Amino acid sequence: MPLLQVENIHTYYGNIHALKGLSLHIEQGEIVTLIGGNGAGKTTTLRTISGLLKPREGSITYDGKDLLKYPAHEVVYKGISMVPEGRGIFARLTVTENLEMGSYSRNDKNEIQRNMDRAFTLFPRLKERRTQLAGTLSGGEQQMVAMGRALMASPRVLLLDEPSMGLAPVLVELIFDTIQQINKEGVTILLVEQNALMALSIANRGYVLQTGEIVLTDKAEKLKNDPTVQKAYLGIE
């Protein structure tokens, strides 16, 4: 049984039918990427899984349990954390305070400290700036804060929404290296990313989303070599 199973999800924004029978699954330990153009429904998919949006139809099961009966904050308690598009950091709080905000679902002080140490190990730059207001950090450093904050909840599944957006190429490589490191530590990852080439380079499998529907799915390497994917998303004619 997959760790996370999404079946025939229909999600709406008012009367706008955003996800039209979307189904996907993620096995324990995988990196799965969701690629598609603007407005395809990638962020909506993550927001639906995380409980921020409730679908009108379909089912989501996590570790064999119905996820749809839980509100978003309890989804975090169950083991799913999201790093939102645009980072969503608390600009007037310090780096350390932002990380602490991510640990609200944990009660064990030793675990919280271990997670803090883990975040500082993954992102040494944050340790150097731990007392600095997060709003004064660079875009790349803010992305590190957002990822570190999500990891403070000890997730089994990490939902990443456009982690490379607006970052310089050298920082994009750093972020993707870190995603792989997080995965090696046992965290399953669902990655939404417009840099499809980078996403497919680190993923096990991928789904191609168009106007709220999955139109193609395969192993990441095969998608990288698919002529349609190359032309539409990889800039290869």
Side-chain angles (χ1 to χ4, degrees):
M1 178 184 294
L3 179 61
L4 183 67
Q5 180 90 43
V6 178
E7 284 286 346
N8 194 36
I9 286 294
H10 292 261
T11 300
Y12 290 74
Y13 291 100
N15 293 322
I16 298 171
H17 197 173
L19 298 182
K20 306 167 184 175
L22 181 141
S23 297
L24 58 82
H25 72 276
I26 307 173
E27 303 288 347
Q28 172 71 42
E30 283 191 306
I31 299 177
V32 174
T33 187
L34 191 59
I35 61 176
N38 289 332
K42 304 185 301 297
T43 293
T44 302
T45 300
L46 297 192
R47 288 173 63 86
T48 302
I49 293 170
S50 67
L52 294 171
L53 294 171
K54 291 298 182 184
R56 294 186 189 176
E57 297 179 44
S59 66
I60 302 177
T61 54
Y62 166 68
D63 204 17
K65 300 179 181 67
D66 177 15
L67 203 62
L68 290 179
K69 65 182 181 181
Y70 299 107
H73 70 280
E74 289 190 23
V75 171
V76 178
Y77 280 84
K78 297 299 177 186
I80 299 177
S81 292
M82 184 166 77
V83 180
E85 180 181 4
R87 295 145 200 159
I89 62 163
F90 299 97
R92 296 186 180 182
L93 298 183
T94 66
V95 167
T96 297
E97 289 168 338
N98 267 271
L99 295 177
E100 289 172 342
M101 291 292 284
S103 65
Y104 75 90
S105 64
R106 320 312 296 178
N107 295 316
D108 185 331
K109 290 184 178 180
N110 291 328
E111 180 189 10
I112 292 170
Q113 186 58 55
R114 284 195 302 271
N115 288 341
M116 183 78 70
D117 293 341
R118 177 192 187 196
F120 287 148
T121 299
L122 283 169
F123 303 110
R125 205 173 302 187
L126 296 187
K127 188 172 185 178
E128 298 170 5
R129 291 160 171 73
R130 58 188 179 274
T131 60
Q132 189 171 329
L133 295 181
T136 65
L137 300 175
S138 70
E141 291 163 347
Q142 290 184 11
Q143 185 62 50
M144 295 174 195
V145 171
M147 291 174 67
R149 181 183 59 194
L151 292 172
M152 289 295 292
S154 299
R156 290 181 67 193
V157 177
L158 185 63
L159 310 177
L160 287 166
D161 196 355
E162 303 286 5
S164 77
M165 181 179 287
L167 302 187
V170 64
L171 285 176
V172 171
E173 289 194 19
L174 174 61
I175 292 296
F176 274 85
D177 286 345
T178 305
I179 292 170
Q180 289 179 287
Q181 180 60 40
I182 292 167
N183 178 247
K184 288 176 183 175
E185 293 177 1
V187 180
T188 302
I189 292 172
L190 178 57
L191 169 65
V192 163
E193 178 56 57
Q194 285 201 315
N195 188 335
L197 185 59
M198 285 290 286
L200 291 171
S201 294
I202 69 167
N204 302 103
R205 294 186 298 111
Y207 292 88
V208 180
L209 188 59
Q210 288 181 5
T211 58
E213 298 178 275
I214 300 293
V215 296
L216 188 62
T217 180
D218 212 328
K219 291 182 178 179
E221 193 60 35
K222 289 189 176 180
L223 289 177
K224 276 174 65 177
N225 295 315
D226 183 284
T228 303
V229 173
Q230 289 180 339
K231 184 174 182 180
Y233 304 109
L234 305 184
I236 301 173
E237 296 294 337

